[in-house]
Amino acid sequence: MTDVTDTADAPGREERKGRTPFVVRLVRQPAGAIGLAIVVALVAIALLADQIAPYSPIKMAAGRPLTSPSFEHLLGTDEFGRDMFSRIVHGARLTLQIGLIAVGISLTVGTLIGLVAAYAGGFVEKLLMRSTDVVFSFTETLIALAFVAVLGPSLENAMIAVGIAGVPFYARTCYASALGEEGKPYFEASIAAGAGHARLLFLHLLPNVVPTMIVIATLGLSNAILAAAALSFLGLGAQPPTPEWGAMLSAGRDFFNRAPWLMLYPGLAIALTVLAFNILGDALREALDPRSKDRS
Amino acid sequence: MLRFLGQRAAMGLLTIFVTTIAVTLLIHLVPGDPVEIMYAQSQGTTPEQIEAMRSSLGLDQPIPVQYLHFVGRLLQGDLGVTIRGQQSVAQLLLQRLPNTLALAALAMAIATLIGMPLGFLAAYKRGTLLDGVLMVTAIAGISIPHFWLGLLLLFWLAVDLGILPVAGSGPLNIVLPALTLGLSNAAIVARMTRSAMIDVMSQDFIRTAHAKGLPKSRVLRRHVLRAGLVPVVTVMGLQFAFMMGGAIVVENIFAWNGIGRLALEAIFQRDYPVIQGFILVFATTVVVVMLALDAVYALLDPRIRRS
């Protein structure tokens, strides 16, 4: 979070509401506060999963199979007698990891492509942005599916696939944002002052696209988590007995009549996590750029 | 306008061209020998069969030759045969494609019919409680995984209430998958419609229309709605791509016989010719639909129509 605060105070941002610190502006919006609270809670659960979960997430026969939620098994047990609460808690850790790694890939590669395209101009710009357009029109699902098809179903491959599939969107956003920065007087001034390529790219352009990139990465986390869960649901991502929510949901549907909780809680967990990042992303965008209010 | 459409068509052709290259290279990215992997699961395969598949895929030739070979066959509508059963991949895909298109089209209709009026209403009532409730619902809507929504609808409408069939390929079987996809995209349509309409409503020509004394309903119908539809139509192109992607998941929940279900089976069976064909057909479909929507967009936007 400290990163966000620093960059939001970077030069070149006009029309800010006084000098209210960024975090205050974020939390002052009810949506921002709620989103942040859920995300913080999720991170805490993920970090403390071993302490919170009463059983190992893959321990079979922790209780009788398919018992309904009780004091002993808060969310019941699955068909192998594994404790669902422990599996959901460990799933939080896994889900955040998947999201962060996938978004990390999209963000790093996308930002680099966008920056270089905007800075280099000419042929490099055309080549990079046209290829991005082409890849973009394949749609994320198809790219992710193609990668898993080639590499084979596994959680690692699903993360890589989702990460690569997201690159074009991040590259486009970064490119547009960097182009805007290049037109500003401070940028021209530093060219005139003789700043070198590295300085212009990494000390001027990069810090100024960071706020935008943070917003889309936050919203992107919800996308990545959904996409990876969908792959796992289809059997193309996490494999049993990994406590991944999408995979758990898929396994739980066979027992819907006898144990509806097996299908209810993993779905609820995904929805809540995705919702939290969506709300937080929207609130971040508003806090960073008050003019964007009312746009979705 | 022709120039605009020409550019779009060129971009589409470029995409398909790149897809053909990607699809040819795809098989070389497979760790290990793709042909061995393909047949690893099926018993009693003779070395002759393996050699036949290798040369049918052209894998014994240099990559550029393989590519030309692939494109040459593609132009004759030949996408190879499935590893089991030796069926024509092109025929199989063409048989299944209409099911996926029907699903995507119906889902898009549902998403538009629900999402657009609600988005418009939220923009019109902007800042009120109604707007707030609609937008909270929308953000919740985009956060619910479509595969979960699908399962919930399945168990509620088909298993519990028994009003719709669970799975299969009868005419009523399309309802559940289309409803799942449509509902989960309605929220996105609503959000995008709202922001497009708000953009338009804050523009000068709307203020002028109000100022010259036009009745409110006329301003809304003739000015806001018409101008606001342009960006919404652009978004519909992306929506269709989402629908096609979502269809892969939803088809598998409801056992709807589209190309998505075919693709998933192919991935598990390592049936590379089918996967290649699927990627090509999927990409081409998206390109064609996007192009059609670009044409609609050009017709709606007078700045492009008259250029």
PDB file of all heavy atoms in Angstrom, chain A residues 133 137-139 142 150 152 230 234 256 263-264 267 275 278 282 294 296, chain B residues 11 15 19 26 29 126 139 143 147-148 155 191 194 241 268 270 282:
ATOM      1  N   ASP A 133      -2.655  -5.957 -30.756  1.00  0.00           N
ATOM      2  CA  ASP A 133      -4.035  -5.958 -31.246  1.00  0.00           C
ATOM      3  C   ASP A 133      -4.453  -7.336 -31.743  1.00  0.00           C
ATOM      4  O   ASP A 133      -5.554  -7.810 -31.470  1.00  0.00           O
ATOM      5  CB  ASP A 133      -4.197  -4.953 -32.402  1.00  0.00           C
ATOM      6  CG  ASP A 133      -4.267  -3.531 -31.883  1.00  0.00           C
ATOM      7  OD1 ASP A 133      -4.475  -3.366 -30.668  1.00  0.00           O
ATOM      8  OD2 ASP A 133      -4.105  -2.595 -32.681  1.00  0.00           O
ATOM      9  N   SER A 137      -7.311  -9.921 -30.070  1.00  0.00           N
ATOM     10  CA  SER A 137      -8.554 -10.377 -30.691  1.00  0.00           C
ATOM     11  C   SER A 137      -8.713 -11.897 -30.603  1.00  0.00           C
ATOM     12  O   SER A 137      -9.765 -12.415 -30.960  1.00  0.00           O
ATOM     13  CB  SER A 137      -8.653  -9.895 -32.140  1.00  0.00           C
ATOM     14  OG  SER A 137      -7.551 -10.328 -32.863  1.00  0.00           O
ATOM     15  N   PHE A 138      -7.689 -12.593 -30.107  1.00  0.00           N
ATOM     16  CA  PHE A 138      -7.878 -14.033 -29.867  1.00  0.00           C
ATOM     17  C   PHE A 138      -8.760 -14.276 -28.653  1.00  0.00           C
ATOM     18  O   PHE A 138      -9.232 -15.386 -28.452  1.00  0.00           O
ATOM     19  CB  PHE A 138      -6.541 -14.726 -29.596  1.00  0.00           C
ATOM     20  CG  PHE A 138      -5.686 -14.869 -30.806  1.00  0.00           C
ATOM     21  CD1 PHE A 138      -4.319 -14.938 -30.702  1.00  0.00           C
ATOM     22  CD2 PHE A 138      -6.265 -14.954 -32.054  1.00  0.00           C
ATOM     23  CE1 PHE A 138      -3.526 -15.068 -31.817  1.00  0.00           C
ATOM     24  CE2 PHE A 138      -5.480 -15.082 -33.176  1.00  0.00           C
ATOM     25  CZ  PHE A 138      -4.106 -15.145 -33.060  1.00  0.00           C
ATOM     26  N   THR A 139      -8.914 -13.276 -27.829  1.00  0.00           N
ATOM     27  CA  THR A 139      -9.614 -13.368 -26.542  1.00  0.00           C
ATOM     28  C   THR A 139      -8.823 -14.204 -25.527  1.00  0.00           C
ATOM     29  O   THR A 139      -8.173 -15.177 -25.880  1.00  0.00           O
ATOM     30  CB  THR A 139     -11.041 -13.963 -26.628  1.00  0.00           C
ATOM     31  OG1 THR A 139     -10.945 -15.355 -26.799  1.00  0.00           O
ATOM     32  CG2 THR A 139     -11.839 -13.332 -27.730  1.00  0.00           C
ATOM     33  N   LEU A 142      -9.343 -18.122 -25.137  1.00  0.00           N
ATOM     34  CA  LEU A 142      -8.749 -18.967 -26.163  1.00  0.00           C
ATOM     35  C   LEU A 142      -7.239 -19.103 -25.940  1.00  0.00           C
ATOM     36  O   LEU A 142      -6.682 -20.196 -26.042  1.00  0.00           O
ATOM     37  CB  LEU A 142      -9.028 -18.389 -27.549  1.00  0.00           C
ATOM     38  CG  LEU A 142      -8.571 -19.275 -28.696  1.00  0.00           C
ATOM     39  CD1 LEU A 142      -9.335 -20.583 -28.696  1.00  0.00           C
ATOM     40  CD2 LEU A 142      -8.738 -18.584 -30.027  1.00  0.00           C
ATOM     41  N   VAL A 150      -1.319 -27.089 -24.833  1.00  0.00           N
ATOM     42  CA  VAL A 150       0.036 -27.438 -25.230  1.00  0.00           C
ATOM     43  C   VAL A 150       0.842 -27.945 -24.039  1.00  0.00           C
ATOM     44  O   VAL A 150       1.487 -28.988 -24.092  1.00  0.00           O
ATOM     45  CB  VAL A 150       0.749 -26.211 -25.840  1.00  0.00           C
ATOM     46  CG1 VAL A 150       2.207 -26.520 -26.075  1.00  0.00           C
ATOM     47  CG2 VAL A 150       0.073 -25.832 -27.140  1.00  0.00           C
ATOM     48  N   GLY A 152      -0.170 -28.917 -21.085  1.00  0.00           N
ATOM     49  CA  GLY A 152      -0.778 -29.965 -20.264  1.00  0.00           C
ATOM     50  C   GLY A 152      -1.425 -29.368 -19.036  1.00  0.00           C
ATOM     51  O   GLY A 152      -0.969 -28.338 -18.535  1.00  0.00           O
ATOM     52  N   ALA A 230     -11.907 -20.980 -13.365  1.00  0.00           N
ATOM     53  CA  ALA A 230     -12.659 -21.623 -14.444  1.00  0.00           C
ATOM     54  C   ALA A 230     -11.844 -22.765 -15.051  1.00  0.00           C
ATOM     55  O   ALA A 230     -12.367 -23.851 -15.312  1.00  0.00           O
ATOM     56  CB  ALA A 230     -13.042 -20.611 -15.516  1.00  0.00           C
ATOM     57  N   LEU A 234     -12.750 -26.779 -14.982  1.00  0.00           N
ATOM     58  CA  LEU A 234     -12.821 -27.649 -16.161  1.00  0.00           C
ATOM     59  C   LEU A 234     -11.856 -28.830 -16.060  1.00  0.00           C
ATOM     60  O   LEU A 234     -11.859 -29.702 -16.913  1.00  0.00           O
ATOM     61  CB  LEU A 234     -12.499 -26.851 -17.429  1.00  0.00           C
ATOM     62  CG  LEU A 234     -13.535 -25.821 -17.872  1.00  0.00           C
ATOM     63  CD1 LEU A 234     -13.031 -25.057 -19.078  1.00  0.00           C
ATOM     64  CD2 LEU A 234     -14.857 -26.506 -18.192  1.00  0.00           C
ATOM     65  N   PHE A 256     -24.408 -32.904  -4.948  1.00  0.00           N
ATOM     66  CA  PHE A 256     -25.278 -31.784  -4.629  1.00  0.00           C
ATOM     67  C   PHE A 256     -26.476 -32.173  -3.771  1.00  0.00           C
ATOM     68  O   PHE A 256     -26.811 -31.504  -2.812  1.00  0.00           O
ATOM     69  CB  PHE A 256     -25.779 -31.105  -5.911  1.00  0.00           C
ATOM     70  CG  PHE A 256     -26.745 -30.004  -5.615  1.00  0.00           C
ATOM     71  CD1 PHE A 256     -26.280 -28.804  -5.106  1.00  0.00           C
ATOM     72  CD2 PHE A 256     -28.110 -30.177  -5.761  1.00  0.00           C
ATOM     73  CE1 PHE A 256     -27.160 -27.795  -4.787  1.00  0.00           C
ATOM     74  CE2 PHE A 256     -28.985 -29.164  -5.435  1.00  0.00           C
ATOM     75  CZ  PHE A 256     -28.512 -27.967  -4.946  1.00  0.00           C
ATOM     76  N   MET A 263     -20.823 -27.490  -2.802  1.00  0.00           N
ATOM     77  CA  MET A 263     -20.861 -26.674  -4.001  1.00  0.00           C
ATOM     78  C   MET A 263     -21.093 -25.210  -3.660  1.00  0.00           C
ATOM     79  O   MET A 263     -20.780 -24.322  -4.439  1.00  0.00           O
ATOM     80  CB  MET A 263     -22.005 -27.160  -4.868  1.00  0.00           C
ATOM     81  CG  MET A 263     -21.729 -27.150  -6.317  1.00  0.00           C
ATOM     82  SD  MET A 263     -23.268 -27.410  -7.146  1.00  0.00           S
ATOM     83  CE  MET A 263     -24.113 -25.927  -6.757  1.00  0.00           C
ATOM     84  N   LEU A 264     -21.657 -24.992  -2.480  1.00  0.00           N
ATOM     85  CA  LEU A 264     -22.036 -23.644  -2.092  1.00  0.00           C
ATOM     86  C   LEU A 264     -20.831 -22.820  -1.652  1.00  0.00           C
ATOM     87  O   LEU A 264     -20.596 -21.721  -2.153  1.00  0.00           O
ATOM     88  CB  LEU A 264     -23.055 -23.736  -0.949  1.00  0.00           C
ATOM     89  CG  LEU A 264     -24.215 -22.754  -1.030  1.00  0.00           C
ATOM     90  CD1 LEU A 264     -24.916 -22.855  -2.373  1.00  0.00           C
ATOM     91  CD2 LEU A 264     -25.189 -23.022   0.110  1.00  0.00           C
ATOM     92  N   GLY A 267     -17.935 -21.752  -4.184  1.00  0.00           N
ATOM     93  CA  GLY A 267     -18.454 -20.737  -5.097  1.00  0.00           C
ATOM     94  C   GLY A 267     -18.567 -19.388  -4.417  1.00  0.00           C
ATOM     95  O   GLY A 267     -18.182 -18.345  -4.969  1.00  0.00           O
ATOM     96  N   LEU A 275     -15.324 -10.167  -5.843  1.00  0.00           N
ATOM     97  CA  LEU A 275     -16.078  -8.956  -5.530  1.00  0.00           C
ATOM     98  C   LEU A 275     -15.179  -7.946  -4.811  1.00  0.00           C
ATOM     99  O   LEU A 275     -15.165  -6.767  -5.142  1.00  0.00           O
ATOM    100  CB  LEU A 275     -17.286  -9.306  -4.665  1.00  0.00           C
ATOM    101  CG  LEU A 275     -18.178  -8.136  -4.258  1.00  0.00           C
ATOM    102  CD1 LEU A 275     -18.870  -7.560  -5.486  1.00  0.00           C
ATOM    103  CD2 LEU A 275     -19.223  -8.556  -3.230  1.00  0.00           C
ATOM    104  N   ASN A 278     -12.848  -6.327  -7.187  1.00  0.00           N
ATOM    105  CA  ASN A 278     -13.590  -5.440  -8.080  1.00  0.00           C
ATOM    106  C   ASN A 278     -13.940  -4.124  -7.391  1.00  0.00           C
ATOM    107  O   ASN A 278     -13.756  -3.044  -7.959  1.00  0.00           O
ATOM    108  CB  ASN A 278     -14.887  -6.118  -8.545  1.00  0.00           C
ATOM    109  CG  ASN A 278     -14.672  -6.959  -9.784  1.00  0.00           C
ATOM    110  OD1 ASN A 278     -13.757  -6.691 -10.568  1.00  0.00           O
ATOM    111  ND2 ASN A 278     -15.478  -7.978  -9.953  1.00  0.00           N
ATOM    112  N   ASP A 282     -12.372  -0.427  -8.338  1.00  0.00           N
ATOM    113  CA  ASP A 282     -13.218   0.720  -8.682  1.00  0.00           C
ATOM    114  C   ASP A 282     -12.917   1.901  -7.779  1.00  0.00           C
ATOM    115  O   ASP A 282     -12.829   3.046  -8.235  1.00  0.00           O
ATOM    116  CB  ASP A 282     -14.702   0.336  -8.537  1.00  0.00           C
ATOM    117  CG  ASP A 282     -15.255  -0.280  -9.817  1.00  0.00           C
ATOM    118  OD1 ASP A 282     -14.465  -0.405 -10.783  1.00  0.00           O
ATOM    119  OD2 ASP A 282     -16.437  -0.622  -9.852  1.00  0.00           O
ATOM    120  N   ASP A 294     -18.323   8.046 -11.865  1.00  0.00           N
ATOM    121  CA  ASP A 294     -19.490   7.732 -12.694  1.00  0.00           C
ATOM    122  C   ASP A 294     -19.157   6.931 -13.936  1.00  0.00           C
ATOM    123  O   ASP A 294     -20.050   6.510 -14.642  1.00  0.00           O
ATOM    124  CB  ASP A 294     -20.232   8.997 -13.146  1.00  0.00           C
ATOM    125  CG  ASP A 294     -20.975   9.616 -11.993  1.00  0.00           C
ATOM    126  OD1 ASP A 294     -21.436   8.836 -11.141  1.00  0.00           O
ATOM    127  OD2 ASP A 294     -21.083  10.842 -11.951  1.00  0.00           O
ATOM    128  N   SER A 296     -17.656   3.447 -15.485  1.00  0.00           N
ATOM    129  CA  SER A 296     -17.413   2.142 -14.896  1.00  0.00           C
ATOM    130  C   SER A 296     -16.301   1.458 -15.640  1.00  0.00           C
ATOM    131  O   SER A 296     -15.899   1.886 -16.689  1.00  0.00           O
ATOM    132  CB  SER A 296     -18.651   1.281 -14.939  1.00  0.00           C
ATOM    133  OG  SER A 296     -19.060   1.110 -16.257  1.00  0.00           O
TER     134      SER A 296
ATOM    135  N   MET B  11      -7.149  -6.051 -40.820  1.00  0.00           N
ATOM    136  CA  MET B  11      -6.751  -6.462 -39.474  1.00  0.00           C
ATOM    137  C   MET B  11      -7.258  -7.877 -39.180  1.00  0.00           C
ATOM    138  O   MET B  11      -6.540  -8.704 -38.619  1.00  0.00           O
ATOM    139  CB  MET B  11      -7.352  -5.454 -38.487  1.00  0.00           C
ATOM    140  CG  MET B  11      -6.769  -5.491 -37.106  1.00  0.00           C
ATOM    141  SD  MET B  11      -5.048  -5.023 -37.083  1.00  0.00           S
ATOM    142  CE  MET B  11      -4.619  -5.790 -35.529  1.00  0.00           C
ATOM    143  N   THR B  15      -5.147 -11.252 -38.388  1.00  0.00           N
ATOM    144  CA  THR B  15      -5.364 -12.098 -37.217  1.00  0.00           C
ATOM    145  C   THR B  15      -5.466 -13.564 -37.608  1.00  0.00           C
ATOM    146  O   THR B  15      -4.849 -14.432 -36.990  1.00  0.00           O
ATOM    147  CB  THR B  15      -6.657 -11.669 -36.489  1.00  0.00           C
ATOM    148  OG1 THR B  15      -6.570 -10.285 -36.189  1.00  0.00           O
ATOM    149  CG2 THR B  15      -6.855 -12.465 -35.209  1.00  0.00           C
ATOM    150  N   THR B  19      -3.037 -16.609 -36.695  1.00  0.00           N
ATOM    151  CA  THR B  19      -3.575 -17.816 -36.066  1.00  0.00           C
ATOM    152  C   THR B  19      -3.056 -19.068 -36.765  1.00  0.00           C
ATOM    153  O   THR B  19      -2.671 -20.033 -36.100  1.00  0.00           O
ATOM    154  CB  THR B  19      -5.116 -17.830 -36.113  1.00  0.00           C
ATOM    155  OG1 THR B  19      -5.590 -16.558 -35.714  1.00  0.00           O
ATOM    156  CG2 THR B  19      -5.684 -18.885 -35.187  1.00  0.00           C
ATOM    157  N   LEU B  26       2.178 -24.420 -32.616  1.00  0.00           N
ATOM    158  CA  LEU B  26       1.652 -24.944 -31.352  1.00  0.00           C
ATOM    159  C   LEU B  26       2.114 -26.354 -31.046  1.00  0.00           C
ATOM    160  O   LEU B  26       2.578 -26.664 -29.955  1.00  0.00           O
ATOM    161  CB  LEU B  26       0.115 -24.883 -31.425  1.00  0.00           C
ATOM    162  CG  LEU B  26      -0.730 -25.377 -30.259  1.00  0.00           C
ATOM    163  CD1 LEU B  26      -1.669 -24.248 -29.873  1.00  0.00           C
ATOM    164  CD2 LEU B  26      -1.563 -26.577 -30.649  1.00  0.00           C
ATOM    165  N   LEU B  29       5.486 -26.825 -29.582  1.00  0.00           N
ATOM    166  CA  LEU B  29       5.730 -26.363 -28.219  1.00  0.00           C
ATOM    167  C   LEU B  29       5.433 -27.469 -27.218  1.00  0.00           C
ATOM    168  O   LEU B  29       5.782 -27.375 -26.049  1.00  0.00           O
ATOM    169  CB  LEU B  29       4.848 -25.150 -27.907  1.00  0.00           C
ATOM    170  CG  LEU B  29       5.152 -23.907 -28.729  1.00  0.00           C
ATOM    171  CD1 LEU B  29       4.123 -22.821 -28.461  1.00  0.00           C
ATOM    172  CD2 LEU B  29       6.545 -23.392 -28.384  1.00  0.00           C
ATOM    173  N   ARG B 126     -29.183   8.780 -12.413  1.00  0.00           N
ATOM    174  CA  ARG B 126     -27.846   8.824 -11.857  1.00  0.00           C
ATOM    175  C   ARG B 126     -27.797   9.531 -10.492  1.00  0.00           C
ATOM    176  O   ARG B 126     -28.386  10.590 -10.291  1.00  0.00           O
ATOM    177  CB  ARG B 126     -26.987   9.592 -12.834  1.00  0.00           C
ATOM    178  CG  ARG B 126     -25.605   9.858 -12.432  1.00  0.00           C
ATOM    179  CD  ARG B 126     -25.026  10.636 -13.567  1.00  0.00           C
ATOM    180  NE  ARG B 126     -23.739  11.189 -13.223  1.00  0.00           N
ATOM    181  CZ  ARG B 126     -23.164  12.111 -13.954  1.00  0.00           C
ATOM    182  NH1 ARG B 126     -23.761  12.569 -15.038  1.00  0.00           N
ATOM    183  NH2 ARG B 126     -21.983  12.566 -13.614  1.00  0.00           N
ATOM    184  N   ILE B 139     -22.105  -4.936  -9.845  1.00  0.00           N
ATOM    185  CA  ILE B 139     -20.739  -5.326  -9.461  1.00  0.00           C
ATOM    186  C   ILE B 139     -20.759  -6.702  -8.797  1.00  0.00           C
ATOM    187  O   ILE B 139     -19.832  -7.506  -8.961  1.00  0.00           O
ATOM    188  CB  ILE B 139     -20.049  -4.248  -8.577  1.00  0.00           C
ATOM    189  CG1 ILE B 139     -18.540  -4.419  -8.648  1.00  0.00           C
ATOM    190  CG2 ILE B 139     -20.516  -4.300  -7.144  1.00  0.00           C
ATOM    191  CD1 ILE B 139     -17.766  -3.255  -8.117  1.00  0.00           C
ATOM    192  N   SER B 143     -19.031 -10.384 -10.349  1.00  0.00           N
ATOM    193  CA  SER B 143     -18.119 -11.119  -9.476  1.00  0.00           C
ATOM    194  C   SER B 143     -18.515 -12.580  -9.304  1.00  0.00           C
ATOM    195  O   SER B 143     -17.718 -13.385  -8.837  1.00  0.00           O
ATOM    196  CB  SER B 143     -18.057 -10.454  -8.106  1.00  0.00           C
ATOM    197  OG  SER B 143     -17.700  -9.107  -8.242  1.00  0.00           O
ATOM    198  N   PHE B 147     -19.490 -20.311 -13.908  1.00  0.00           N
ATOM    199  CA  PHE B 147     -19.658 -21.761 -13.737  1.00  0.00           C
ATOM    200  C   PHE B 147     -20.434 -22.076 -12.468  1.00  0.00           C
ATOM    201  O   PHE B 147     -21.175 -23.052 -12.407  1.00  0.00           O
ATOM    202  CB  PHE B 147     -18.323 -22.496 -13.766  1.00  0.00           C
ATOM    203  CG  PHE B 147     -17.211 -21.857 -12.977  1.00  0.00           C
ATOM    204  CD1 PHE B 147     -16.991 -22.212 -11.666  1.00  0.00           C
ATOM    205  CD2 PHE B 147     -16.397 -20.899 -13.554  1.00  0.00           C
ATOM    206  CE1 PHE B 147     -15.964 -21.638 -10.937  1.00  0.00           C
ATOM    207  CE2 PHE B 147     -15.372 -20.314 -12.836  1.00  0.00           C
ATOM    208  CZ  PHE B 147     -15.154 -20.682 -11.527  1.00  0.00           C
ATOM    209  N   TRP B 148     -20.289 -21.209 -11.473  1.00  0.00           N
ATOM    210  CA  TRP B 148     -21.052 -21.413 -10.234  1.00  0.00           C
ATOM    211  C   TRP B 148     -22.521 -21.079 -10.468  1.00  0.00           C
ATOM    212  O   TRP B 148     -23.418 -21.840 -10.094  1.00  0.00           O
ATOM    213  CB  TRP B 148     -20.463 -20.551  -9.124  1.00  0.00           C
ATOM    214  CG  TRP B 148     -20.985 -20.856  -7.755  1.00  0.00           C
ATOM    215  CD1 TRP B 148     -21.146 -22.099  -7.197  1.00  0.00           C
ATOM    216  CD2 TRP B 148     -21.413 -19.915  -6.759  1.00  0.00           C
ATOM    217  NE1 TRP B 148     -21.642 -21.972  -5.924  1.00  0.00           N
ATOM    218  CE2 TRP B 148     -21.816 -20.654  -5.624  1.00  0.00           C
ATOM    219  CE3 TRP B 148     -21.495 -18.523  -6.716  1.00  0.00           C
ATOM    220  CZ2 TRP B 148     -22.282 -20.042  -4.461  1.00  0.00           C
ATOM    221  CZ3 TRP B 148     -21.953 -17.916  -5.553  1.00  0.00           C
ATOM    222  CH2 TRP B 148     -22.340 -18.670  -4.447  1.00  0.00           C
ATOM    223  N   PHE B 155     -29.204 -26.771 -10.597  1.00  0.00           N
ATOM    224  CA  PHE B 155     -29.801 -27.526  -9.497  1.00  0.00           C
ATOM    225  C   PHE B 155     -31.134 -26.943  -9.064  1.00  0.00           C
ATOM    226  O   PHE B 155     -32.013 -27.666  -8.609  1.00  0.00           O
ATOM    227  CB  PHE B 155     -28.828 -27.623  -8.318  1.00  0.00           C
ATOM    228  CG  PHE B 155     -27.728 -28.594  -8.610  1.00  0.00           C
ATOM    229  CD1 PHE B 155     -26.424 -28.172  -8.765  1.00  0.00           C
ATOM    230  CD2 PHE B 155     -28.023 -29.944  -8.773  1.00  0.00           C
ATOM    231  CE1 PHE B 155     -25.424 -29.076  -9.064  1.00  0.00           C
ATOM    232  CE2 PHE B 155     -27.025 -30.844  -9.078  1.00  0.00           C
ATOM    233  CZ  PHE B 155     -25.718 -30.405  -9.222  1.00  0.00           C
ATOM    234  N   ARG B 191     -23.227  -2.012 -16.846  1.00  0.00           N
ATOM    235  CA  ARG B 191     -22.190  -1.058 -16.442  1.00  0.00           C
ATOM    236  C   ARG B 191     -21.690  -0.244 -17.629  1.00  0.00           C
ATOM    237  O   ARG B 191     -21.493   0.966 -17.540  1.00  0.00           O
ATOM    238  CB  ARG B 191     -21.007  -1.802 -15.810  1.00  0.00           C
ATOM    239  CG  ARG B 191     -21.158  -2.018 -14.320  1.00  0.00           C
ATOM    240  CD  ARG B 191     -20.183  -3.057 -13.822  1.00  0.00           C
ATOM    241  NE  ARG B 191     -18.793  -2.623 -13.826  1.00  0.00           N
ATOM    242  CZ  ARG B 191     -18.164  -2.177 -12.739  1.00  0.00           C
ATOM    243  NH1 ARG B 191     -18.797  -2.079 -11.612  1.00  0.00           N
ATOM    244  NH2 ARG B 191     -16.900  -1.824 -12.794  1.00  0.00           N
ATOM    245  N   ARG B 194     -24.398   2.224 -18.903  1.00  0.00           N
ATOM    246  CA  ARG B 194     -24.533   3.357 -18.005  1.00  0.00           C
ATOM    247  C   ARG B 194     -23.436   4.382 -18.249  1.00  0.00           C
ATOM    248  O   ARG B 194     -23.701   5.574 -18.402  1.00  0.00           O
ATOM    249  CB  ARG B 194     -24.473   2.882 -16.549  1.00  0.00           C
ATOM    250  CG  ARG B 194     -24.517   4.008 -15.544  1.00  0.00           C
ATOM    251  CD  ARG B 194     -24.529   3.452 -14.134  1.00  0.00           C
ATOM    252  NE  ARG B 194     -24.540   4.504 -13.137  1.00  0.00           N
ATOM    253  CZ  ARG B 194     -23.443   5.084 -12.663  1.00  0.00           C
ATOM    254  NH1 ARG B 194     -22.262   4.710 -13.123  1.00  0.00           N
ATOM    255  NH2 ARG B 194     -23.531   6.023 -11.754  1.00  0.00           N
ATOM    256  N   ALA B 241     -17.054 -12.013 -28.005  1.00  0.00           N
ATOM    257  CA  ALA B 241     -15.853 -12.801 -27.759  1.00  0.00           C
ATOM    258  C   ALA B 241     -15.911 -13.438 -26.363  1.00  0.00           C
ATOM    259  O   ALA B 241     -15.563 -14.605 -26.195  1.00  0.00           O
ATOM    260  CB  ALA B 241     -14.614 -11.928 -27.899  1.00  0.00           C
ATOM    261  N   PHE B 268      -8.115 -33.168 -23.281  1.00  0.00           N
ATOM    262  CA  PHE B 268      -7.853 -34.306 -22.404  1.00  0.00           C
ATOM    263  C   PHE B 268      -7.308 -35.499 -23.182  1.00  0.00           C
ATOM    264  O   PHE B 268      -6.510 -36.267 -22.674  1.00  0.00           O
ATOM    265  CB  PHE B 268      -9.118 -34.709 -21.645  1.00  0.00           C
ATOM    266  CG  PHE B 268      -9.447 -33.755 -20.533  1.00  0.00           C
ATOM    267  CD1 PHE B 268     -10.700 -33.209 -20.406  1.00  0.00           C
ATOM    268  CD2 PHE B 268      -8.473 -33.394 -19.597  1.00  0.00           C
ATOM    269  CE1 PHE B 268     -10.999 -32.320 -19.381  1.00  0.00           C
ATOM    270  CE2 PHE B 268      -8.759 -32.512 -18.572  1.00  0.00           C
ATOM    271  CZ  PHE B 268     -10.026 -31.969 -18.459  1.00  0.00           C
ATOM    272  N   ARG B 270      -5.550 -35.208 -25.861  1.00  0.00           N
ATOM    273  CA  ARG B 270      -4.372 -34.780 -26.621  1.00  0.00           C
ATOM    274  C   ARG B 270      -4.605 -34.932 -28.111  1.00  0.00           C
ATOM    275  O   ARG B 270      -3.730 -35.393 -28.850  1.00  0.00           O
ATOM    276  CB  ARG B 270      -3.150 -35.616 -26.229  1.00  0.00           C
ATOM    277  CG  ARG B 270      -2.851 -35.569 -24.772  1.00  0.00           C
ATOM    278  CD  ARG B 270      -1.897 -34.479 -24.556  1.00  0.00           C
ATOM    279  NE  ARG B 270      -1.673 -34.238 -23.149  1.00  0.00           N
ATOM    280  CZ  ARG B 270      -0.827 -33.341 -22.720  1.00  0.00           C
ATOM    281  NH1 ARG B 270      -0.149 -32.639 -23.568  1.00  0.00           N
ATOM    282  NH2 ARG B 270      -0.663 -33.130 -21.449  1.00  0.00           N
ATOM    283  N   PHE B 282     -12.572 -20.903 -33.850  1.00  0.00           N
ATOM    284  CA  PHE B 282     -12.929 -19.931 -32.814  1.00  0.00           C
ATOM    285  C   PHE B 282     -12.458 -18.528 -33.213  1.00  0.00           C
ATOM    286  O   PHE B 282     -13.232 -17.573 -33.214  1.00  0.00           O
ATOM    287  CB  PHE B 282     -12.280 -20.355 -31.491  1.00  0.00           C
ATOM    288  CG  PHE B 282     -12.679 -19.533 -30.294  1.00  0.00           C
ATOM    289  CD1 PHE B 282     -13.573 -20.032 -29.361  1.00  0.00           C
ATOM    290  CD2 PHE B 282     -12.130 -18.273 -30.083  1.00  0.00           C
ATOM    291  CE1 PHE B 282     -13.921 -19.286 -28.242  1.00  0.00           C
ATOM    292  CE2 PHE B 282     -12.474 -17.524 -28.964  1.00  0.00           C
ATOM    293  CZ  PHE B 282     -13.380 -18.039 -28.048  1.00  0.00           C
TER     294      PHE B 282
END
